[in-house]
Amino acid sequence: MNLSMSAWLQQKIDGYTISVPDITVDFSVARAKLNRPECTIEQLRQFNDTCLEMAELCQLNGDDRSYLHAMGELHHRLVTELSNTSRERLFRMQS
């Protein structure tokens, strides 16, 4: 059964609007973990992966504003961690 172009497009939009809140929650949780002083390198990597996953989802769906926001958040956080002297040297190097 073939969908009309309108139905196909609506299906894609609905799928995207359902996915965005899920990845946004993942992003918020990953960011909250980074705010803790005892944050590990694995949590830094998880934040990185979540941001890249969010950016990819947005890019594939043509949401340039959200794509740039996700990449900007990642860039800002990594630069912040680079200069955070309370973190271990290895953690800062990974950033």
Side-chain angles (χ1 to χ4, degrees):
M1 177 158 106
N2 291 334
L3 294 174
S4 69
M5 183 61 146
S6 177
W8 175 82
L9 183 58
Q10 188 61 50
Q11 185 180 32
K12 292 293 182 181
I13 291 170
D14 291 344
Y16 177 65
T17 56
I18 290 170
S19 313
V20 168
D22 293 340
I23 193 73
T24 302
V25 168
D26 294 344
F27 170 77
S28 297
V29 169
R31 182 174 52 189
K33 289 178 182 179
L34 280 183
N35 291 334
R36 298 182 184 147
E38 67 275 0
C39 179
T40 65
I41 292 174
E42 184 57 38
Q43 290 167 326
L44 176 68
R45 288 186 188 129
Q46 182 182 5
F47 177 76
N48 182 68
D49 293 345
T50 302
C51 285
L52 292 177
E53 184 179 336
M54 179 187 263
E56 181 181 21
L57 176 68
C58 295
Q59 184 182 36
L60 290 174
N61 286 281
D63 188 354
D64 294 338
R65 177 184 242 175
S66 296
Y67 167 78
L68 291 173
H69 177 72
M71 293 304 289
E73 286 284 332
L74 176 60
H75 174 75
H76 175 72
R77 188 57 187 237
L78 292 179
V79 169
T80 301
E81 293 300 337
L82 277 171
S83 61
N84 186 351
T85 57
S86 65
R87 300 278 194 205
E88 297 176 12
R89 185 171 186 263
L90 181 59
F91 190 94
R92 292 191 323 255
M93 288 175 63
Q94 283 289 309
S95 293

